[in-house]
Structure formats: C-alpha cells, structure tokens
Amino acid sequence: MKNCFVICLFVCALFCVSQVKAQQQQRYDNFCVLRAVNVSQTQLQHLQVNHNVDIWRVTNTEVDFMVHSSLRSDYQQNGFTSITLIENVQSVIDEQNAARSSVKNLNGAADWNSEYHTFESIVEETKRLAADHQSLVTYYPDVGTSIEGRSIVAVSLHGGPGITADGNAVPQIVILAGQHAREWIAPAATMYVLQQLVEGYGRDTTVTKILNAVNITIVPIMNPDGYDYSWTNSRLWRKNRRKNVGSSYYGVDLNRNWDSQWCKTGASKSPSSDTYCGTGPFSEPETKAMSDLITSIGTLSSINRNGDGNSTAVKLVLDMHAYSQLILRPYGYTKTPPPNNALLTKLGADMASLIRQTHRKVYENIAAIDLYPTTGSADDWSYDNGVPLVYTYELRDTGSYGFLLPASQIVATGQEVWAALQYLFYYVATNY
C-alpha cells in the first residue's frame, strides 16, 4: 500500500504538472529513462494503465519509459528486467540548454543546422528560402490553423512546368514533420532536406532532374502549438494543445486522429493518455488541415506511367518522427500486406542501405504493425486514400538520448536522411 501511495504521488507530480499550462518550464529532476526488456503484453498494459508512466518507445519486446528514479526498484521487484538509458533527464536537458547558449554566443557564425530552432525561427527560415529562390520555392503562410490559432506553414518546390507533356499534373510529394511536439529532430532534419533541395537545384544534376519532374510540398511543423509548448513549458510534451472538454488533461495525439481505422487499437480514448485519439476522426484542426492539403493536391489530374492504378497526383507521403531508427511502411492496423508491399519493401531496404553507407547508422525496414499496432495514423490514411508510396521515418537514435538527441547530431541525421530521400525522390521522378 505504501508503494502504491508513493507511485500515485510521483505520477501526479509528473502528469498533473505536465497537463496544465504552467508559467515556468517543467523540470524533470531525478527522473530516469529505463528500458524494460522481454516485456510481456501484460507488463506493457501494467505500464500503460496502472502506473501511467511516460512511455517513450515500444517494440514487440521492449519498452523505454520515464519514471522517477525512486521507483526504479519497484519495477525490478515486480518482474521487470530493465536497464537505465538516462540517469537524470533534467541533467541532459540542462546540458543541452547550456550548449544552445554557447552556440548563440558565436556571433552568428554557426551554421543554421548547428542548433534546434523555435517554431518562429523555422517559419522565418522557410520564408527566407522562398524569398531567395522565388522561381523554385513558393511559401504558403497558412495551409491550416492550429487549435490555439497559429498558422501552419508550408513550402512547395518545383522547377519545371506544372504539367507534363500529356497534360497531367506532375507527380506530387508531401512531407509532414512535427506531429509529435517533443521529437525535435524531425523538423530539424526536414529543414535540412529542404535546404539541400533548394541549394542543389541548378547545381546538382540529380536534384535538378528531381525538381524539374516533381512537385514537393513540405510542412516542417504541423503541430505548432505542441512544439512551441515543448520549448516554453514542457520539453517532453507530445500532443497538441486542445483543452479536452470535461477533463483537466490537455492534448490529442495527432497521429492517432486521422480517419483510418480510428481508435480501434494502439490508441486510447482517455484524455490523460499520450495516445489519446480525440473525440472523432479529424476532430483536430491540424490533422483536418493536413488531410485537406493532401486531398487538394491529390485531386490534380495525374499520369501513371508505372500503371499502379492510383488516380491521385500524390505519389509519395513521408511522415517524419523520432526515435528508433526505423523506416516504416503500411499498415499499422493489419498484418495483411498492402498490394504493392514488394515495392515498398525494396525501396525501404534501398533507403536503409544508403543511410548505413552515410554514417554507419542502421535503420530497420519493417511494416508499421511489426513494431506495434496503431490506428488513426497519417501514413495509413494516406495509403488508404490512394497514395502508392508511404513511409514513416523514425529518426535517431535508438535510446541513448531518445527524444533529447543533441543538436550536434542534427547535420549527420540530416545527411543520412537526405541520402535516402534523394534516392526516393528520384524514383518518383522517373517512375510516375
């Protein structure tokens, strides 16, 4: 009974503070991140429901989770076999904040990719890239509005004519990042890819051929409220910032809110959960805006040179996340493989190989359901709505830092992702 009381106290300290918008940055002193191995389904449910800890990563056999260090022994006594990944979460955050301050003292000489950036800074960089490359980049200041009223911005890149010789729209590619607020490396790596596309056009033969043949739309942060909150209030915030009616808990998990097998498995109907699916499919303005964006792009008349039978102009959707170093393909809700699974698997394997050749990092190429079941995700919705190539990237690392990946790894992460995506873009440009 005493242990239960202590657990309840620490759970309240962690989650009640994190759910209410505070005036000061939430601290994580003496919280550690553990990896439980050989986890049974019963133990996973124990973590998710009974203890309500902050789960960072789940696989078929492992769970990374954050908990107060005073409770570490309780898990060992309850049959969990675990290792410590991060001894003190706040110490890591403090070290990274100090590193960010030192970068700012370099009199502006540091590369833009040497640090993480606020939502406002990312918006300004997208504006700058568009202004400096007006013949290539179109800036969209408002492709949607968040629950707190922030504009969701996007850029579109295309160097050639808007239609093919057949009178059809050029193939369309859509990249989404920042659905989950705390995954800072996802927008950072996406911005790196954007920069490579912009700077490579007219200079690099492959990039030029890609952008003359396809149109690429990039949304660097589709959850601006949550991302901003992770900077100002709670570094490990995941969801958007909806005030849930009838509850003291804030936020909906945007990647459980899409209209694809909504909330059937791998999602929660409890507002207190980090996988809360919302009150219905597309209940959140952020997901509704992104689905409308993909749909509007997809209604353009499109040629299908490879005969895949898909009528949408959108040929590729990428959803950028962290962490685990994975390339995930549909589906997340069934083990039945999609019709073009062989192609998706081959392209995924090729991308994983290119990533490994860049910095020797190993990305696993698997179906999403082989990681864990999910419903209401952007990737499955996109595939269900006719997009033939759909991938979710889980970027660095595999747990040493988790969501707190140091800014010193932004460029390397961007480089390995760029190597893979340049190949994938070229495939779309030459096959659709």
Side-chain angles (χ1 to χ4, degrees), residues 126 129 155 157 190-199 218:
T126 59
L129 290 170
V155 290
L157 299 87
T190 300
M191 290 298 293
Y192 182 91
V193 169
L194 170 58
Q195 292 164 350
Q196 300 312 301
L197 287 166
V198 170
E199 294 166 5
I218 298 175

Side-chain angles (χ1 to χ4, degrees), residues 129 132-137 157-161 193-216 418 422:
L129 290 170
D132 291 350
H133 303 85
Q134 294 181 28
S135 63
L136 177 69
V137 184
L157 299 87
H158 182 58
V193 169
L194 170 58
Q195 292 164 350
Q196 300 312 301
L197 287 166
V198 170
E199 294 166 5
Y201 185 74
R203 301 178 183 178
D204 180 276
T205 302
T206 301
V207 172
T208 303
K209 185 170 184 177
I210 289 169
L211 289 176
N212 282 341
V214 305
N215 188 93
I216 302 177
W418 171 238
Q422 186 175 196

Side-chain angles (χ1 to χ4, degrees), residues 41 44-45 48 55 58 180 238 253-258 260-270 273-278 332-334 368-369 371-377 380:
Q41 194 62 32
L44 175 59
Q45 292 172 352
Q48 291 174 320
I55 294 179
V58 178
H180 291 151
R238 169 184 168 98
D253 182 347
L254 296 182
N255 208 33
R256 300 295 185 274
N257 188 241
W258 294 68
S260 173
Q261 307 293 315
W262 176 78
C263 219
K264 289 187 176 180
T265 185
S268 173
K269 292 187 176 180
S270 171
S273 172
D274 262 353
T275 59
Y276 175 50
C277 57
Y333 61 80
T334 177
I369 198 167
L371 182 65
Y372 53 82
T374 56
T375 53
S377 65
D380 283 346

Side-chain angles (χ1 to χ4, degrees), residues 316-321 323-330 343-356 361-371 379 390-395 416-417 419-421 423-424:
L316 169 64
V317 169
L318 295 167
D319 190 20
M320 308 302 284
H321 288 265
Y323 63 98
S324 287
Q325 295 178 197
L326 300 170
I327 300 171
L328 302 175
R329 62 184 182 274
L343 174 61
L344 289 167
T345 302
K346 180 190 181 303
L347 293 175
D350 291 345
M351 288 189 286
S353 177
L354 289 165
I355 287 172
R356 189 166 188 173
K361 293 297 181 182
V362 176
Y363 277 55
E364 193 175 0
N365 169 42
I366 61 173
I369 198 167
D370 291 337
L371 182 65
D379 52 1
V390 179
Y391 293 96
T392 293
Y393 264 71
E394 295 284 356
L395 304 176
E416 63 201 17
V417 171
L421 295 190
Y423 160 79
L424 189 59

